[in-house]
Amino acid sequence: QVQLVESGGGLVQPGGSLRLSCEPSGFTLDSVVIGWFRQVPGKEREGVACMPNNGGNAWYGDSLRGRFTVSRDNAKNTASLQMNSLTPEDTAVYYCAAGRSSTSAHDMCQRRLVAYWGEGTQVTVSS
């Protein structure tokens, strides 16, 4: 059974950091493009960061590059999203996603070309 499981969400104060993790079952991350998306009620799910599996550059959403960093550890079969300098506007449900290796990181994040979704983890930034 193909599945993606996120962990690491929670409540953090403005200016703080969180690290989200994603673990797949039923496939290995080195065969897919990985990505992180987020969604708030009433809005479309938006791409946060996507990373190809061919060593190419990652894609980041507007204003997120420099604060957020996507990474993968193929040996451990995990992906991560390091989030720093968080603001209340970063509050959302964050989803891990996997896409076909033929998809670019840009297209996966911008066009939501996703093959598998995780269930999501809540991130709340509040004092």
Side-chain angles (χ1 to χ4, degrees), residues 11-126:
L11 174 65
V12 63
Q13 291 188 343
S17 298
L18 275 178
R19 186 177 182 88
L20 305 182
S21 295
C22 175
E23 292 191 33
S25 61
F27 66 99
T28 56
L29 289 180
D30 61 359
S31 63
V32 298
V33 181
I34 59 171
W36 291 92
F37 293 75
R38 66 186 182 184
Q39 189 170 23
V40 297
K43 291 191 176 182
E44 288 191 346
R45 193 171 296 186
E46 65 170 350
V48 171
C50 291
M51 186 175 193
N53 64 330
N54 60 4
N57 293 328
W59 181 95
Y60 291 91
D62 291 343
S63 79
L64 300 180
R65 185 183 294 273
R67 293 197 302 125
F68 288 15
T69 303
V70 60
S71 61
R72 63 164 78 221
D73 186 332
N74 290 337
K76 295 182 179 179
N77 203 30
T78 60
S80 298
L81 181 70
Q82 177 67 41
M83 305 185 293
N84 299 327
S85 302
L86 287 162
T87 74
E89 288 68 36
D90 295 315
T91 294
V93 177
Y94 284 72
Y95 297 88
C96 178
R100 300 184 187 281
S101 61
S102 57
T103 303
S104 71
H106 172 274
D107 281 353
M108 181 178 177
C109 263
Q110 285 279 67
R111 299 170 60 191
R112 292 196 296 274
L113 297 180
V114 172
Y116 304 112
W117 291 101
E119 292 294 318
T121 185
Q122 177 70 46
V123 171
T124 302
V125 185
S126 174

